[in-house]
Amino acid sequence: MTNDPVILINAFEVPAGQDEQFLMSWERSRDFLRAQPGYLSTRLHRSLAPSADFRYVNVARWESAEAFRAATAQPEFRDQTPSFRFHAALYEVVREDT
Amino acid sequence: MTNDPVILINAFEVPAGQDEQFLMSWERSRDFLRAQPGYLSTRLHRSLAPSADFRYVNVARWESAEAFRAATAQPEFRDQTPSFRFHAALYEVVREDT
């Protein structure tokens, strides 16, 4: 599966009342990342309930793990202080039923 | 957006070496849920790195929050003891770039 895209899933902890601040920060990162080689697409999810453990979850597709790591290793991205706690990792699909 | 599907995102904490046990447990739940009214599809993701905070993340689509709640409120599902810690919530897509 080496040539399949990889999937970045990033679960964000966003306290109540900070949605607007989160979205501004997320959009800034998205604008940077989508201009990088290997970026394919992204989809940002917001929980229906404000009290979910992860108020926002981003699911993005990249051409490869290497492309994602090269993009996020760039100083403009790497040296930003994250505004919210997050849990990010790269994934592959192991079960699918669509 | 009342008639749009809702998205269940469930992030599982699975200790190293317990992948097989997790997959058996997850497939049992999936088999139950996909037979319920309102189930649309599911996609199970496994992290490339074994040490990710969430080794598995399930992203499933349901016709509505009501359909999902009715399915998971059934005794066969509700009375199972979860085998792994998880963080589940229903979501809607708020930003998309595909």
Side-chain angles (χ1 to χ4, degrees):
Chain A
M1 314 232 302
T2 316
N3 292 319
D4 284 352
V6 294
I7 298 146
L8 166 73
I9 301 180
N10 199 349
F12 293 93
E13 301 179 28
V14 178
Q18 297 187 33
D19 288 67
E20 198 173 334
Q21 188 188 338
F22 170 79
L23 286 169
M24 282 179 58
S25 158
W26 182 83
E27 286 174 347
R28 205 161 45 232
S29 295
R30 190 262 330 260
D31 290 347
F32 175 80
L33 292 173
R34 74 174 164 195
Q36 306 306 311
Y39 170 92
L40 295 174
S41 67
T42 200
R43 194 175 274 159
L44 180 66
H45 304 78
R46 181 172 58 209
S47 63
L48 303 189
S51 61
D53 291 350
F54 305 116
R55 175 68 170 144
Y56 289 90
V57 180
N58 184 38
V59 180
R61 291 166 59 248
W62 284 78
E63 278 177 10
S64 67
E66 293 66 32
F68 174 74
R69 289 182 189 125
T72 53
Q74 294 192 58
E76 303 94 293
F77 189 84
R78 193 193 57 204
D79 297 344
Q80 284 178 58
T81 305
S83 307
F84 296 90
R85 289 195 65 190
F86 64 93
H87 307 261
L90 294 175
Y91 290 83
E92 61 185 333
V93 174
V94 291
R95 296 287 184 279
E96 190 164 20
D97 172 19
T98 51
Chain B
M1 312 231 304
T2 315
N3 292 319
D4 284 353
V6 294
I7 298 146
L8 166 73
I9 301 181
N10 198 350
F12 294 92
E13 302 180 27
V14 178
Q18 297 187 32
D19 288 67
E20 199 174 334
Q21 187 188 339
F22 170 78
L23 285 168
M24 282 179 58
S25 158
W26 182 83
E27 285 174 349
R28 205 161 44 232
S29 295
R30 189 262 329 261
D31 291 346
F32 174 80
L33 291 173
R34 75 174 162 194
Q36 306 306 311
Y39 170 92
L40 295 174
S41 66
T42 198
R43 195 175 273 159
L44 181 65
H45 304 77
R46 181 172 59 209
S47 63
L48 303 188
S51 60
D53 291 349
F54 304 117
R55 175 65 169 146
Y56 289 90
V57 180
N58 185 37
V59 180
R61 291 166 60 249
W62 284 78
E63 278 177 12
S64 67
E66 293 67 32
F68 175 73
R69 290 181 189 127
T72 52
Q74 294 194 56
E76 304 94 293
F77 189 84
R78 192 193 57 203
D79 297 344
Q80 284 178 57
T81 305
S83 306
F84 296 90
R85 288 195 64 188
F86 63 94
H87 307 262
L90 294 176
Y91 290 83
E92 61 184 333
V93 174
V94 291
R95 296 287 185 279
E96 189 163 21
D97 173 18
T98 52

